[in-house]
Amino acid sequence: MSDWTSLWYVWLLLLAVFLLLLCGVSASCIKFCCRKKRLPVETFPRHPCDLTVIGIDSDSTAHSTVT
């Protein structure tokens, strides 16, 4: 059975996984801190809009014409 210290590729793989996890956690922390300090900005300005709704009965002539 091999000694764990002689398996350099296992240590290299563990080091790569650890560095990836460390980079991910660091990026998440930096993103969270920057988002917390920045004021929320609206991407699109709100404009008032009008909405018109027309009700059509089944007895109306417009409904008969459409169908």
Side-chain angles (χ1 to χ4, degrees), residues 23-34:
C23 288
V25 169
S26 299
S28 296
C29 289
I30 290 170
K31 187 176 179 181
F32 179 74
C33 290
C34 289

Side-chain angles (χ1 to χ4, degrees), residues 2 5 9 11 27-28 32 35 38-39 45 47 50 52 60 63:
S2 299
T5 55
Y9 52 89
W11 292 110
S28 296
F32 179 74
R35 183 185 299 161
R38 193 181 323 152
L39 294 174
H47 299 290
D50 296 327
T52 305
S60 71
H63 184 266

Side-chain angles (χ1 to χ4, degrees), residues 1-59:
M1 189 161 177
S2 299
D3 188 17
W4 279 98
T5 55
S6 65
L7 300 175
W8 61 269
Y9 52 89
V10 174
W11 292 110
L12 183 65
L13 184 66
L14 287 174
L15 180 66
V17 170
F18 176 74
L19 288 175
L20 284 174
L21 285 173
L22 186 67
C23 288
V25 169
S26 299
S28 296
C29 289
I30 290 170
K31 187 176 179 181
F32 179 74
C33 290
C34 289
R35 183 185 299 161
K36 202 173 189 182
K37 291 179 184 177
R38 193 181 323 152
L39 294 174
V41 177
E42 289 186 19
T43 54
F44 299 106
R46 295 184 181 180
H47 299 290
C49 59
D50 296 327
L51 178 66
T52 305
V53 178
I54 301 172
I56 299 177
D57 293 339
S58 60
D59 297 335

